[in-house]
Amino acid sequence: MADLRVDLGKFSLKNPVMTASGTFGYGFEYAEFFPLDRLGAVVVKGITVRPVHGNPTPRVAEVSSGMLNAIGLQGPGVDKFLHDDHYMPFLKKSGATVIVNIWGKSVDEYREVAEKLEAEKDGITALEINISCPNVKEGGISFGTNAAKASELVAQVRAATSIPLITKLSPTVSNIGEFAKAVVDAGSDVISLINTIPSMAIDIETRRPKIANVTGGLSGPAIKPVAVRMVYEAAKAVKVPVIGMGGICNADDAVEFIIAGASAIAVGTAIFTNPMAPIEVIDGINSYLDRKKIASVKELCGTVDIRK
Amino acid sequence: MADLRVDLGKFSLKNPVMTASGTFGYGFEYAEFFPLDRLGAVVVKGITVRPVHGNPTPRVAEVSSGMLNAIGLQGPGVDKFLHDDHYMPFLKKSGATVIVNIWGKSVDEYREVAEKLEAEKDGITALEINISCPNVKEGGISFGTNAAKASELVAQVRAATSIPLITKLSPTVSNIGEFAKAVVDAGSDVISLINTIPSMAIDIETRRPKIANVTGGLSGPAIKPVAVRMVYEAAKAVKVPVIGMGGICNADDAVEFIIAGASAIAVGTAIFTNPMAPIEVIDGINSYLDRKKIASVKELCGTVDIRK
Amino acid sequence: MSHTGEILSNEVLKDKYCRAVFRAPEICEKAEPGHFVHVMIPSMRDRILRRPFSICHAGGSQLTIVYKVVGRGTEELSRLKPGEKCDFMGPLGVPFSLPVEDEIPVIVAGGYGAAATYMISERSKNKGYLLLGARTEKDLILTDNYKNNGFEVRVATEDGAVGTKGLVTVLVKELLEENKGKNLKFYGCGPHGMLLALGELLITNEIDGELSMDQMMCCGIGACFACVVKVKDNNPDGWRYARTCKEGPVFKASDVYYGRT
Amino acid sequence: MSHTGEILSNEVLKDKYCRAVFRAPEICEKAEPGHFVHVMIPSMRDRILRRPFSICHAGGSQLTIVYKVVGRGTEELSRLKPGEKCDFMGPLGVPFSLPVEDEIPVIVAGGYGAAATYMISERSKNKGYLLLGARTEKDLILTDNYKNNGFEVRVATEDGAVGTKGLVTVLVKELLEENKGKNLKFYGCGPHGMLLALGELLITNEIDGELSMDQMMCCGIGACFACVVKVKDNNPDGWRYARTCKEGPVFKASDVYYGRT
Ligand SMILES: Cc1cc2nc3c(=O)[nH]c(=O)nc-3n(C[C@H](O)[C@H](O)[C@H](O)COP(=O)(O)OP(=O)(O)OC[C@H]3O[C@@H](n4cnc5c(N)ncnc54)[C@H](O)[C@@H]3O)c2cc1C
Ligand SMILES: Cc1cc2nc3c(=O)[nH]c(=O)nc-3n(C[C@H](O)[C@H](O)[C@H](O)COP(=O)(O)OP(=O)(O)OC[C@H]3O[C@@H](n4cnc5c(N)ncnc54)[C@H](O)[C@@H]3O)c2cc1C
Ligand SMILES: Cc1cc2nc3c(=O)[nH]c(=O)nc-3n(C[C@H](O)[C@H](O)[C@H](O)COP(=O)(O)O)c2cc1C
Ligand SMILES: Cc1cc2nc3c(=O)[nH]c(=O)nc-3n(C[C@H](O)[C@H](O)[C@H](O)COP(=O)(O)O)c2cc1C
Ligand code: FES
Ligand code: FES
């Protein structure tokens, strides 16, 4: 039994496996599959200051080795999240380590969510700032692709809360390392990546986009090689821990991200295929470490061998 | 039988189906599969001013619904290309419409290649400037992600030749529309996209990158939704014709790109799976148009229906 | 929640409709009319999502689904042979409620909807009607099975080749006319447009009913918000998006939001 | 150039090695020792590249390949049943040249290399030697078949369980010692390191030979430059990258570049 604990600076996790925001609801929905406290952390769907309807349907489409989504951050809003039985109160009871993904249409909205969470931060291990949601036109994309705006956003959220901050980066940038540096300089304790890649699919019979929102974010195995590259580049660029995600389906995929430089990883789209995937990934990482006689998952992080 | 001719501004093609540079060699290699003059155009592998060894092996790796490559532009150099029997002389004899993809490590190198091709331009229908090859560290990526540098490059090549110019864009930018505009303003007659997406895969047994070059470009069905989105955005941004590529395997895929806004398309990685793919795509586009009672492929271009 | 089901038989029922029977005792035990299963079709590999199918019949350990071949997933499903296995999640969703007392069940279905509602005809103590709408004769399925369960079957086809020419709502109107004052309990399953038309018709006639609203699904258990439809709500907009996999697929006709925004 | 081959049989040969026989008359007609076929394995779907396999035997209309199960493709290949079909490109590449006059063929092989060179033992008019290297006994294949073709088989295993303990180059040195002055024609196929060692050894002994250099392939016909190895060249660097699929896989040992840059 290898040591699976990981250290993410201001906090640590019992193992490196989290769920990717938006693919695991609020935890509640998957609690009948496995105890939530087996996970490194539960990352909940993006929380906004007010309730959000989300986008019209169809919101998802299937593509080669992946899917597109434009859910549009439907959700209850932060107040309901904090107080309604099957959101935060349920998570607290479950014993899960909770990371709250937050999202807003403006710096103010982000700050407001952070303030409300700060006020009732008991049971919240970290906030993940989603600066990269490509689906909501009013701002998501501009924070995600403009390092100056992203820095300002992170600085404001930082000022609003003492909860450890993870900034989740968009893959739609030319130089992910620079971007990672910018948000770390602005006060982010950890960075996570990648979010989905803006994409499009068209029904050739109707000539309509397969997603009502026209474009949607690509996730799943199709994006894994892009994600591994970005995690590798980001981890080289910053000293803070990196959480990697994008197409992780099994322990081998997770190990690949860890070798590339991720301290922890998240399982997303694969949960739709196999709700037990996060647990199988935890067990599989352990087996890999045992087989390779590596005592702790920390030793594996960033060990990619690039000598020519 | 629908009218398959397409108009790309300064030149036109008998049908919209080209081969993607680097996946079809110099045409020669596929001539025993089908007559090259059946294609809209043959786009040859990137031609450089001097012969290039290319990268060490492994140069390719397979991933979910795609592959990574870092060939590193191995090739004979422009002089040999123009004069050695089985390059340009062979293509001329074959009756193929020829587009020459060009690449260099500096603006000067690009310009030199263009000058040499200009001097013997008989039989060359267009040049495709590859500003986006992500594999050769000395410059490729910086033209591809810096609109000012790309503009300067295009302007210099423009000054060196009267051959129609296609600029092939990198997908690694935040705003593909702006980028497309910049190169068109600099004198590009057509734009083509997307090139491969920089990616990485690691062998978890050896912890070595699966590509000797560490990173490689992702191509194949995995990138199709990203490519369709970028073609859609680029076609909206510029008035010149757009050539779309990225994961096209069959006629349905090609039709999807055309509906998104591509005037012509290129088949790349799919040729490795099925050498007859380009021909099947031509025939399939024709069948689609006939079935839909559309007289000409031009009518289909950019007809995606995005009313909400 | 996740079970492996071995295929016992998998055959063409009619034209593009197939019937697959699986050994899946745990699911059968809990299955109610309107429940669905979320199926991993092996051999897809480049397609990662499960496919949802209503439970058509659940007897002992044998689970039956009836599916129409419409794309990659259902095509590959149709090629599976006895002995091969699928992974199932289920039974999922909010089921139909069976008729009580003197309620006469009226099932209004289109396409595979006749399979999704079939267990009502098996389990309802009162006999009733199946009003089946289809584009052509080829989309009329299970009519004999319904008849064997004592249901009267009325049919409408758009081309008029069989039954009444036109939409199934014509049959609904006729039936309402015939059965004034009777305690009809309506059940609907079929294309979205048909269900909205049915729901509005019922509401106009001050009758409630239960509609099974099928949408593209990912998770199947309420976590991803892919599968929503509009339902009434007392927020300022008057509606909210409800997840058909968790809060549905069966909704009261009176809860569905028919506004066009 | 592209042909469809129906599987006639597909069975385990030994441990992880399998033998598949296809009906592929067009390929058999042209097949020579060292040629390969480039195979689309159906049912892969999320893996898009073909897989190259040397032709082990081509008799009449029956094409045989012997393959080791090492990953997704070969695993799926091993599951194909008689009657299923694969799409083939081939025969591809530059073949071995058969021994002429009094040349004694000496085949030096590792792993599946013994399959890739097997047609030499079938078609050479002179009998000779198979020097087979393997990690363990499990990797020794086709030895009886070579013997039946009149070849003397000598074996080296790294663990010494069978034959000489050590690398196959030990056997080569012994054989050279024994056969001084004889006209030996060397053929090599196996892991890259083994081939480089063999090539250098031959050159030191002023003998030439033919080496089949296998590399990861995409197109299989010289178009993509994925599959290169270094060969000598009279450019300033002294080497260039040659495509194993088109200019090889068989190269003269004297053409291969052994420099370490
Ligand atoms: C709760 C529920 C119950 C269902 N019950 C049945 C049933 O009993 N019998 C039956 O034949 N079909 C049923 N369906 C529809 C069935 O799920 C789809 O036909 C199937 O998923 C199509 O898969 P495909 O790969 O063959 O098609 P694809 O190639 O994926 O798509 C073909 C068409 O099917 C639609 N579709 C694809 N995936 C889904 C999905 N996950 N949900 C809904 N529509 C989809 C697409 O919009 C497209 O128009 C049900 C759907 C839901 C949501
Ligand atoms: C000209 C040639 C002839 C060959 N002849 C034979 C033969 O007769 N019998 C036999 O068992 N094998 C042969 N091989 C090797 C065979 O092609 C690979 O073992 C096979 O492609 C692996 O596929 P996979 O999906 O099972 O493995 P993967 O999961 O793709 O990879 C497993 C391992 O196989 C290697 N590999 C993968 N693809 C290729 C490829 N296209 N070319 C070379 N290596 C690869 C990878 O580097 C990896 O180490 C030959 C290869 C070449 C180039
Ligand atoms: C349906 C769906 C909803 C998502 N919602 C969110 C979200 O609310 N906030 C967020 O930061 N990321 C969201 N994501 C992105 C994922 O968290 C993850 O970054 C991405 O999907 C890549 O990982 P994967 O390939 O493992 O799914 C969502 C992804 C999917 C598929
Ligand atoms: C092996 C390989 C070599 C390539 N070489 C070149 C090249 O020399 N010049 C270039 O502009 N693009 C090159 N490309 C990119 C393709 O032309 C194309 O833009 C990309 O692969 C996306 O299309 P696809 O998914 O259909 O392959 C290459 C791609 C591959 C797979
Ligand atoms: S399918 Fe995920 S919420 Fe319904
Ligand atoms: S595999 Fe393409 S050149 Fe050899």
Side-chain angles (χ1 to χ4, degrees), chain C residues 160-227:
Chain C
V162 192
T164 304
K165 183 179 162 96
L167 299 176
V168 72
T169 38
V170 177
L171 301 179
V172 177
K173 283 177 195 156
E174 279 176 18
L175 194 89
L176 285 171
E177 201 59 41
E178 283 170 28
N179 288 276
K180 276 197 177 134
K182 295 236 180 91
N183 195 358
L184 302 180
K185 166 122 191 193
F186 277 86
Y187 300 93
C189 186
H192 201 66
M194 181 201 109
L195 292 179
L196 293 183
L198 173 63
E200 289 195 278
L201 186 60
L202 293 179
I203 286 166
T204 315
N205 285 276
E206 293 178 344
I207 313 176
D208 207 347
E210 297 182 356
L211 309 178
S212 178
M213 312 281 262
D214 296 348
Q215 290 286 316
M216 280 281 291
M217 287 181 179
C218 290
C219 70
I221 60 167
C224 74
F225 295 86
C227 63

Side-chain angles (χ1 to χ4, degrees), chain A residues 197-266:
Chain A
I197 307 180
S199 294
M200 184 169 177
I202 301 171
D203 181 324
I204 66 167
E205 296 306 321
T206 62
R207 298 194 222 168
R208 305 264 301 158
K210 287 190 180 174
I211 296 278
N213 187 54
V214 182
T215 60
L218 178 62
S219 65
I223 68 170
K224 196 186 79 171
V226 179
V228 171
R229 188 261 303 174
M230 290 198 150
V231 164
Y232 169 73
E233 289 176 353
K236 275 199 308 186
V238 296
K239 295 220 173 64
V240 304
V242 171
I243 300 168
M245 68 200 78
I248 295 175
C249 295
N250 52 44
D252 285 0
D253 295 338
V255 165
E256 189 174 351
F257 275 82
I258 295 168
I259 292 171
S263 293
I265 59 91

Side-chain angles (χ1 to χ4, degrees), chain B residues 215-299:
Chain B
T215 61
L218 178 62
S219 65
I223 68 170
K224 196 186 80 172
V226 179
V228 172
R229 189 260 304 173
M230 289 200 149
V231 164
Y232 169 74
E233 289 177 354
K236 276 198 309 184
V238 296
K239 295 218 174 67
V240 305
V242 171
I243 301 168
M245 68 201 77
I248 295 176
C249 295
N250 53 43
D252 285 1
D253 295 338
V255 165
E256 190 175 351
F257 275 82
I258 295 169
I259 293 171
S263 293
I265 59 91
V267 181
T269 301
I271 296 174
F272 302 149
T273 320
N274 173 15
M276 293 302 290
I279 302 303
E280 291 171 11
V281 169
I282 297 170
D283 295 342
I285 294 174
N286 185 53
S287 308
Y288 174 88
L289 294 170
D290 285 352
R291 179 162 65 79
K292 292 285 189 181
K293 300 194 173 35
I294 301 173
S296 156
V297 67
K298 288 176 203 151
E299 288 171 35

Side-chain angles (χ1 to χ4, degrees), chain D:
Chain D
M1 275 290 290
S2 225
H3 306 285
T4 304
E6 187 187 326
I7 298 190
L8 301 174
S9 71
N10 190 18
E11 287 159 354
V12 174
L13 178 69
K14 178 177 177 178
D15 198 56
K16 293 197 174 248
Y17 289 85
C18 300
R19 175 175 15 216
V21 182
F22 297 86
R23 224 192 80 77
E26 308 88 339
I27 297 177
C28 289
E29 208 173 284
K30 299 184 207 143
E32 292 179 47
H35 270 146
F36 69 95
V37 285
H38 210 24
V39 187
M40 254 311 288
I41 299 164
S43 81
M44 295 263 279
R45 298 186 190 278
D46 62 334
R47 303 284 140 169
I48 56 168
L49 297 178
R50 288 169 179 259
R51 300 292 190 265
F53 298 99
S54 298
I55 298 174
C56 176
H57 173 77
S61 64
Q62 300 195 359
L63 176 84
T64 303
I65 62 173
V66 168
Y67 60 96
K68 183 175 183 183
V69 174
V70 298
R72 265 290 298 281
T74 43
E75 234 160 61
E76 306 237 6
L77 181 57
S78 73
R79 277 199 225 102
L80 295 183
K81 304 232 154 52
E84 295 192 80
K85 293 187 173 107
C86 289
D87 183 87
F88 282 93
M89 287 163 65
L92 300 173
V94 173
F96 290 113
S97 60
L98 287 174
V100 291
E101 305 185 349
D102 64 346
E103 283 176 347
I104 302 170
V106 183
I107 297 169
V108 185
Y112 71 76
T117 49
Y118 180 69
M119 271 170 83
I120 300 172
S121 80
E122 291 186 320
R123 300 199 177 179
S124 166
K125 61 178 171 39
N126 302 335
K127 303 305 164 193
Y129 300 87
L130 169 68
L131 310 184
L132 189 54
R135 202 156 301 164
T136 68
E137 195 275 335
K138 291 180 176 174
D139 286 299
L140 300 172
I141 53 164
L142 299 177
T143 48
D144 288 346
N145 305 63
Y146 273 93
K147 284 180 197 158
N148 290 341
N149 291 340
F151 272 58
E152 182 178 333
V153 176
R154 300 183 183 182
V155 162
T157 53
E158 287 179 34
D159 61 2
V162 191
T164 305
K165 184 178 162 97
L167 299 176
V168 73
T169 39
V170 177
L171 301 180
V172 176
K173 283 177 197 158
E174 280 175 17
L175 195 88
L176 284 171
E177 201 60 40
E178 285 170 28
N179 289 276
K180 275 193 178 140
K182 296 236 181 92
N183 195 358
L184 302 179
K185 167 124 193 193
F186 276 87
Y187 301 93
C189 186
H192 201 66
M194 182 200 109
L195 292 179
L196 292 183
L198 173 63
E200 289 194 279
L201 186 59
L202 294 179
I203 285 167
T204 316
N205 285 277
E206 294 178 345
I207 312 176
D208 207 347
E210 298 183 357
L211 309 178
S212 178
M213 312 281 261
D214 296 346
Q215 289 287 315
M216 282 278 293
M217 288 182 180
C218 290
C219 70
I221 60 168
C224 75
F225 294 86
C227 62
V228 297
V229 292
K230 284 182 182 171
V231 297
K232 290 175 189 145
D233 193 79
N234 54 11
N235 65 23
D237 295 323
W239 61 271
R240 65 177 183 89
Y241 277 125
R243 296 156 299 168
T244 57
C245 67
K246 184 84 178 178
E247 303 169 62
V250 175
F251 293 92
K252 279 193 183 164
S254 55
D255 285 343
V256 171
Y257 181 78
Y258 300 94
R260 292 285 173 252
T261 32

Side-chain angles (χ1 to χ4, degrees), chain B residues 20-22 45-46 69 73 101 130 168 194-195 219-220 245-247 268-269:
Chain B
S21 176
K45 173 138 193 72
N69 91 79
L73 288 145
N101 183 280
N130 175 9
K168 181 161 175 181
I194 63 175
N195 212 313
S219 65
M245 68 201 77
T269 301

Side-chain angles (χ1 to χ4, degrees), chain C residues 65-140:
Chain C
I65 63 173
V66 168
Y67 60 94
K68 183 174 181 182
V69 174
V70 298
R72 265 289 298 282
T74 44
E75 233 161 62
E76 305 238 5
L77 182 57
S78 74
R79 275 198 226 104
L80 296 182
K81 305 234 152 53
E84 294 192 79
K85 292 187 174 108
C86 288
D87 183 87
F88 283 95
M89 289 164 64
L92 300 173
V94 174
F96 291 112
S97 62
L98 287 173
V100 291
E101 305 185 350
D102 64 346
E103 283 176 348
I104 301 170
V106 184
I107 296 169
V108 185
Y112 71 77
T117 49
Y118 180 68
M119 271 171 83
I120 299 171
S121 81
E122 291 186 318
R123 301 201 176 179
S124 166
K125 61 179 173 37
N126 303 334
K127 303 307 166 193
Y129 300 88
L130 168 68
L131 309 185
L132 189 54
R135 203 156 300 165
T136 68
E137 195 275 335
K138 291 181 177 173
D139 286 300
L140 300 172

